[in-house]
Amino acid sequence: MKWQRVMRLALAAVGSLFLVGTGQANSDFLVSTDWLEQNLKNEDLRVLEVSVVPGKFERGHIPGAVNLHWHTELVDPVKRDIASRDNFQALLRKAGISEGTTLVLYGDSNNWFAAWGAWIFDVYRVPSVKLLDGGRDKWEAEGRPLDVRPSQYPPGNISLAERNDALRAHLADVLAVAEGRTDTALIDIRSADEYNGKIFAPAGVQELAVRAGHIPGAVNVPWSSAVAADGTFKPVEELRALYQGVGVDGSKPVIVYCRIGERSSHTWFALSKLLGYEVRNYDGSWTEYGNSVGVPIANPAGTVWGGT
């Protein structure tokens, strides 16, 4: 809706109250490592780690942080879906999250899964959710404190709303773009080799598709294009110019996708929270689309399953 887009743009334009350096922290949606360390004892703040590498949290985490397991707690245990409202609400209450709690998410791998977690929080309309700009890697690189002790809090009282389906794209939505039936921008945020079909997926991953390439009509802007050398988001004007360079300027809705939806959540965050665009994350991504029967693909490299 137009009024929703205006509100997002207005929030993005408000900017930060304590802007640090050339990056975005601290804004309505990002905090810096400095700010977080200074506010760790704030009782109205809860820090949540969402990392992809098992055991990393247990070997040391930001003091007071609670670990959220992306592959068991943030997803439905039976269906390929995000966590149900009831399960997610119970998880957050167990973490001591109440109405009015400010949440800061962080993780490894440039905040891929932390951004995915932020997207799920947004789907359930949870307010005051921020990312630690630069994530766990920046925190560790700066020699900031880590703790191995588990964090426990009294149960919270947060109540979640029903899902906001406007933040999520499905197979039918991207197929409509591929077949030219809707005027929506589509961004593939995978590497150029994945996009062009030279490889099916990054080395070592388990989730695969039987076809390589990309969804017809998608432009390629790898997620890493949005970050600086230290893993923080680039300044807003650089981000805006980056996406304008491929014709994405916020004038029409955007859908982002990757392989399973985590890297695309990082771009969803940049476009939605920092630029204020109307964006949906296609979390089915290439593992769903590339395995679907009867859908068109673009494959510049011409690769086929099991050969070239």
Side-chain angles (χ1 to χ4, degrees), residues 178 186 188 190 192-199 211-219 257 286 289-290 295-303:
L186 188 59
D188 184 321
R190 298 174 300 161
D193 281 351
E194 290 172 89
Y195 174 83
N196 289 316
K198 290 183 179 180
I199 60 176
R211 295 192 294 173
H214 62 267
I215 301 172
V219 295
Y257 76 92
W286 192 251
Y289 193 93
V295 301
I297 65 168
N299 186 348
T303 52

Side-chain angles (χ1 to χ4, degrees), residues 201-209 259 287:
V205 303
Q206 299 179 24
E207 304 89 352
L208 295 173
R259 182 176 52 90
T287 51

Side-chain angles (χ1 to χ4, degrees), residues 11-52:
L11 284 172
V14 167
S16 65
L17 297 176
F18 308 101
L19 206 61
V20 178
T22 60
Q24 309 306 322
N26 304 298
S27 71
D28 290 333
F29 307 109
L30 287 172
V31 299
S32 68
T33 50
D34 281 336
W35 184 92
L36 183 56
E37 186 171 2
Q38 294 166 14
N39 285 271
L40 285 178
K41 295 184 178 180
N42 185 338
E43 294 182 358
D44 295 324
L45 178 74
R46 191 70 70 243
V47 182
L48 305 171
E49 177 165 336
V50 189
S51 287
V52 63

Side-chain angles (χ1 to χ4, degrees), residues 141-277:
E142 294 171 345
R144 298 184 187 272
L146 294 172
D147 197 348
V148 296
R149 295 172 295 179
S151 303
Q152 295 184 337
Y153 299 95
N157 63 12
I158 191 169
S159 295
L160 299 183
E162 295 300 325
R163 292 185 185 184
N164 179 7
D165 289 332
L167 298 180
R168 194 177 194 185
H170 297 278
L171 177 62
D173 301 313
V174 295
L175 185 58
V177 178
E179 294 177 345
R181 293 183 281 109
T182 184
D183 188 22
T184 299
L186 188 59
I187 304 179
D188 184 321
I189 66 75
R190 298 174 300 161
S191 67
D193 281 351
E194 290 172 89
Y195 174 83
N196 289 316
K198 290 183 179 180
I199 60 176
F200 287 88
V205 303
Q206 299 179 24
E207 304 89 352
L208 295 173
V210 296
R211 295 192 294 173
H214 62 267
I215 301 172
V219 295
N220 185 217
V221 184
W223 71 270
S224 57
S225 303
V227 298
D230 63 355
T232 58
F233 282 100
K234 291 179 178 178
V236 164
E237 289 309 314
E238 290 188 27
L239 292 175
R240 185 172 290 112
L242 171 67
Y243 296 106
Q244 283 180 341
V246 293
V248 178
D249 61 4
S251 61
K252 59 185 178 181
V254 182
I255 295 174
V256 294
Y257 76 92
C258 58
R259 182 176 52 90
I260 60 173
E262 89 292 7
R263 287 177 290 174
S264 55
S265 297
H266 188 277
T267 298
W268 165 84
F269 189 93
L271 291 169
S272 175
K273 300 304 183 182
L274 304 184
L275 296 184
Y277 296 171

Side-chain angles (χ1 to χ4, degrees), residues 45-221:
L45 178 74
R46 191 70 70 243
V47 182
L48 305 171
E49 177 165 336
V50 189
S51 287
V52 63
V53 178
K56 182 166 285 190
F57 178 87
E58 289 76 11
R59 292 191 293 272
H61 52 265
I62 294 177
V66 174
N67 192 27
L68 300 184
H69 297 90
W70 72 268
H71 60 294
T72 57
E73 295 178 321
L74 297 184
V75 299
D76 187 288
V78 177
K79 301 180 294 183
R80 182 178 174 181
D81 203 349
I82 64 175
S84 69
R85 175 184 174 276
D86 289 346
N87 287 349
F88 193 45
Q89 179 174 281
L91 177 68
L92 300 189
R93 288 181 176 182
K94 183 180 178 182
I97 297 171
S98 296
E99 306 293 340
T101 302
T102 295
L103 307 175
V104 176
L105 278 68
Y106 77 96
D108 59 6
S109 299
N110 281 99
N111 275 338
W112 286 354
F113 282 93
W116 188 67
W119 172 68
I120 295 176
F121 274 98
D122 220 27
V123 167
Y124 284 111
R125 310 171 197 265
V126 179
S128 302
V129 177
K130 306 171 187 288
L131 279 185
L132 174 62
D133 205 12
R136 183 182 174 112
D137 291 345
K138 189 171 190 292
W139 184 274
E140 290 188 23
E142 294 171 345
R144 298 184 187 272
L146 294 172
D147 197 348
V148 296
R149 295 172 295 179
S151 303
Q152 295 184 337
Y153 299 95
N157 63 12
I158 191 169
S159 295
L160 299 183
E162 295 300 325
R163 292 185 185 184
N164 179 7
D165 289 332
L167 298 180
R168 194 177 194 185
H170 297 278
L171 177 62
D173 301 313
V174 295
L175 185 58
V177 178
E179 294 177 345
R181 293 183 281 109
T182 184
D183 188 22
T184 299
L186 188 59
I187 304 179
D188 184 321
I189 66 75
R190 298 174 300 161
S191 67
D193 281 351
E194 290 172 89
Y195 174 83
N196 289 316
K198 290 183 179 180
I199 60 176
F200 287 88
V205 303
Q206 299 179 24
E207 304 89 352
L208 295 173
V210 296
R211 295 192 294 173
H214 62 267
I215 301 172
V219 295
N220 185 217
V221 184

